[in-house]
Amino acid sequence: GFNGSDSFEISNNMIGGNFLSNGTIYGMYITNTTFLYRARIMNNTISITPPVSNVSQLFGIYFPTGYNTNGYWDNNIFKNNSVSLFGAASSSFPVYIPFSGGLTPTLPFSIGGVSQMDNNNFFTSDPSGNTAYIQATTYTLNNFVRASGMNVNSKNLNPVFINNLTNLHTISRNLNALGTPISCITTDIDGQARNATTPNIGADEFDVAAENIGAFAVVSPSFPMTAGLQNVVINIKNFGTVPVTSANV
């Protein structure tokens, strides 16, 4: 755990894989239950894809359950993180902060009254579209912005990972250059230099190719498949930055 004078940084990580659980899955779990002071959580990519069954709760990042009224739940930074939840569960939240009581969404992630929770991407395939749970209140991204004044520049977009389980590099042009510069983070998880003015959200710094056509989804055949010859139908998508009228895939 951390005491009131501790400071820590979690940055440039990719957290994903085939999570196995009999009930609850966490992408990142902050264990201390009293203090969260001067925490720097920046440019991480979290992706949770649960098993088909036996999952009741999905939490992208889970914060402490308590707080200290002397101010040890402040001066924290949560920026440029990509948190994605794929799959169904009875409770699904990219951000979960079950405060023990009395704390509004504005205090934990602000310094001198200035928001320090922004330029994140929160995505869930859950139909509810819930982004955060804070002290028994659920928030969509828009509601969270209105309630806290934070995440004004955050997004709710499918990051289109190369593989949700094994390769969390993204190829989404919609997420390109949406981060904010952080002076202490000059490279990404692969050692690639960060853009000095418009870095990317998440652990990976990437460039979008002008022409980039690829398969996006398999339409048919679907599971369970039957024996015999069948047509294979796929959806293709333009991941690039310029219009394309024809392509060989």
Side-chain angles (χ1 to χ4, degrees), residues 81-176:
N81 296 286
S82 176
V83 185
S84 303
L85 307 181
F86 300 92
S90 59
S91 180
S92 180
F93 296 96
V95 178
Y96 195 88
I97 310 177
F99 290 133
S100 58
L103 196 56
T104 67
T106 49
L107 178 60
F109 301 100
S110 61
I111 298 176
V114 179
S115 170
Q116 299 296 327
M117 190 179 196
D118 205 357
N119 296 90
N120 301 291
N121 185 57
F122 303 113
F123 175 78
T124 174
S125 60
D126 189 281
S128 69
N130 287 327
T131 292
Y133 176 101
I134 300 177
Q135 194 180 311
T137 301
T138 60
Y139 298 90
T140 64
L141 181 56
N142 288 338
N143 290 340
F144 192 30
V145 171
R146 287 196 294 267
S148 67
M150 299 184 184
N151 289 300
V152 173
N153 298 298
S154 293
K155 301 297 180 182
N156 179 17
L157 299 170
N158 188 332
V160 193
F161 296 126
I162 293 176
N163 187 292
N164 293 346
L165 295 175
T166 62
N167 191 336
L168 302 186
H169 292 80
T170 181
I171 52 177
S172 173
R173 65 180 178 181
N174 295 327
L175 282 177
N176 187 41

